[in-house]
Amino acid sequence: MRTIIFRTIAPYLAALMILFSIFVLLRGHNEPGGGFIGGLIAASALAIYGIACGVAAVRRAIVVHPMSVAAFGLFIAALAGLPSLFFKQSFMTTQFAAFPFFGTKVELMTPMLFDLGVYFVVVGAIASIALALEERESD
């Protein structure tokens, strides 16, 4: 299914899907969405791009190995629980931090850090599986 139309549209579609996955990630806990669903959308974008342009093009686009992305995400997700230990609370208890940002107060929370870690784990793991299957199919 490597028609000229699909190869032309796939990079734009993948970029839109990545942007939408970031939107879904940032919706997080307040509304439906979060790291897992956002990661699935981003991994689907990489799979579509891989089907259209080949696995080598996807590997050039993401620069690092997908399993390294997953390992980084696991590290970030585990790191989200450490602030609660500093305050002698249960592991993964939500912590807040407020920072001034151009005249407004921006609140950062540890669940957002955890969602970001889950996002990277899902993108890395699913992209690794999809790229392996696409390489196997092209051989």
Side-chain angles (χ1 to χ4, degrees):
M1 188 168 135
R2 288 191 177 180
T3 64
I4 186 100
I5 296 171
F6 185 56
R7 280 184 290 160
T8 304
I9 297 296
Y12 300 109
L13 179 63
L16 282 173
M17 288 176 72
I18 295 289
L19 284 174
F20 182 66
S21 76
I22 293 170
F23 170 74
V24 170
L25 166 69
L26 293 177
R27 285 175 59 146
H29 295 289
N30 298 332
E31 296 178 18
F36 186 76
I37 300 301
L40 286 177
I41 295 168
S44 299
L46 293 175
I48 287 173
Y49 188 67
I51 291 169
C53 301
V55 176
V58 176
R59 292 201 187 275
R60 281 192 310 269
I62 60 175
V63 181
V64 296
H65 195 276
M67 289 310 289
S68 298
V69 173
F72 175 70
L74 188 60
F75 175 73
I76 294 294
L79 197 65
L82 292 182
S84 61
L85 295 179
F86 291 124
F87 295 109
K88 298 186 191 240
Q89 295 175 336
S90 299
F91 187 69
M92 297 296 280
T93 302
T94 300
Q95 301 298 319
F96 298 92
F99 299 101
F101 185 73
F102 292 112
T104 64
K105 185 172 71 170
V106 176
E107 291 185 356
L108 298 178
M109 301 178 292
T110 53
M112 184 61 211
L113 190 62
F114 180 76
D115 269 348
L116 186 65
V118 170
Y119 179 85
F120 283 130
V121 167
V122 171
V123 168
I126 302 298
S128 180
I129 292 168
L131 292 177
L133 289 173
E134 288 176 19
E135 280 179 339
R136 187 174 180 196
E137 184 178 301
S138 65
D139 289 341

